[in-house]
């Protein structure tokens, strides 16, 4: 049994969704970032944290890739060209999508008020929009990023799409919008979102 620590309206969504896709049982502890229940497992105070056999694993990407590797699905095997392409997409999404959204969040409500730069959001939206153009050229022909097989980057991108909507970062590329509509309708993700109340 896995334990997932972190409120579902955070990157913990990625881990909860992965576990639902895998059909694995888990306990969810909806602790807030930097709360005592989180810091005891991750001194940085960030969520999510996955606990397995008493061992904490931090960082949503590390967690979902670990789960995909362990259960042998939603990923390509390590050491293959397909896995290299998959990992390349993962890194691209973290650099170009996740990073822009996280920087905007930090300057909206995370950093001390005196350090926030509200004007930074405009440049981040510009970068986010340009990154969408690059992404659509990298998307496979199938319903998923890699083609006909759902993989780890699909979870990251879809979560970033949900986050973008909340943060008012526009989805400008029609193909990406269609993809996100399809992915957010997946029953496993619908179940996780419904649990947020």
């Amino acid at each position: 049994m896995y334990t997932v620590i972190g409120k579902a309206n955070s990157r913990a969504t990625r881990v909860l969704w992965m576990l639902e896709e895998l059909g694995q049982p888990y306990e969810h502890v909806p602790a807030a970032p930097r709360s005592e229940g989180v810091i005891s497992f991750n001194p940085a105070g960030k969520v999510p944290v996955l606990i397995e056999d008493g061992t904490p694993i931090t960082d949503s990407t590390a967690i979902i890739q670990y789960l995909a590797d362990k259960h042998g699905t939603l990923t390509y095997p390590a050491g293959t060209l397909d896995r290299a392409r998959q990992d390349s997409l993962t890194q691209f999404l973290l650099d170009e999508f996740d990073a822009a959204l996280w920087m905007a969040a930090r300057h909206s409500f995370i950093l001390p008020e005196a350090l926030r730069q509200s004007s930074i959001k405009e440049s981040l939206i510009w970068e986010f929009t340009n990154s969408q153009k690059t992404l659509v050229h990298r998307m496979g022909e199938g319903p998923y990023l890699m083609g006909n097989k759902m993989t780890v980057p699909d979870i990251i991108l879809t979560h970033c799409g949900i986050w973008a909507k909340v943060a008012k970062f526009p989805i400008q590329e029609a193909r990406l919008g269609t993809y996100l509509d399809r992915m957010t309708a997946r029953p496993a993700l619908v179940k996780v979102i419904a649990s947020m109340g």
Side-chain angles (χ1 to χ4, degrees):
M1 171 84 78
Y2 297 106
T3 299
V4 181
I5 301 172
K7 286 189 170 182
N9 63 345
S10 70
R11 290 185 184 101
T13 298
R14 300 171 186 180
V15 178
L16 297 168
W17 180 16
M18 173 63 84
L19 288 166
E20 289 291 343
E21 291 283 354
L22 296 173
Q24 291 296 314
Y26 62 88
E27 176 190 4
H28 179 214
V29 180
R34 294 176 298 284
S35 64
E36 189 177 319
V38 173
I39 290 173
S40 60
F41 293 106
N42 181 3
K46 289 185 175 182
V47 296
V49 179
L50 179 79
I51 310 291
E52 183 182 5
D53 292 333
T55 301
I57 305 168
T58 60
D59 188 279
S60 63
T61 302
I63 295 168
I64 63 176
Q65 187 60 64
Y66 165 72
L67 290 169
D69 286 336
K70 180 178 178 181
H71 295 283
T73 189
L74 300 176
T75 188
Y76 287 95
T80 63
L81 286 173
D82 282 331
R83 176 60 173 270
R85 288 178 50 241
Q86 175 188 314
D87 289 345
S88 174
L89 271 169
T90 295
Q91 295 304 319
F92 172 79
L93 295 171
L94 295 176
D95 287 346
E96 304 294 327
F97 287 75
D98 186 282
L101 292 162
W102 176 234
M103 182 66 74
R106 287 164 65 193
H107 284 277
S108 296
F109 57 88
I110 295 170
L111 289 171
E113 210 163 322
L115 298 176
R116 296 177 196 169
Q117 304 292 325
S118 60
S119 60
I120 199 170
K121 188 168 181 178
E122 189 176 330
S123 65
L124 294 170
I125 288 174
W126 181 87
E127 285 186 40
F128 186 83
T129 301
N130 275 341
S131 296
Q132 292 176 50
K133 294 174 188 170
T134 304
L135 176 66
V136 294
H137 289 293
R138 295 187 66 175
M139 292 172 80
E141 292 303 312
Y144 305 109
L145 282 176
M146 296 285 295
N148 289 319
K149 180 175 181 175
M150 182 177 167
T151 56
V152 164
D154 289 295
I155 289 179
I156 295 168
L157 177 58
T158 304
H159 178 255
C160 284
I162 295 167
W163 190 356
K165 187 175 182 181
V166 172
K168 297 182 172 45
F169 273 55
I171 301 299
Q172 302 282 20
E173 295 294 323
R175 188 171 176 208
L176 178 57
T178 301
Y179 164 89
L180 291 171
D181 288 344
R182 185 170 59 249
M183 293 300 293
T184 54
R186 289 185 68 83
L189 179 55
V190 169
K191 182 177 178 183
V192 170
I193 292 171
S195 75
M196 294 180 198

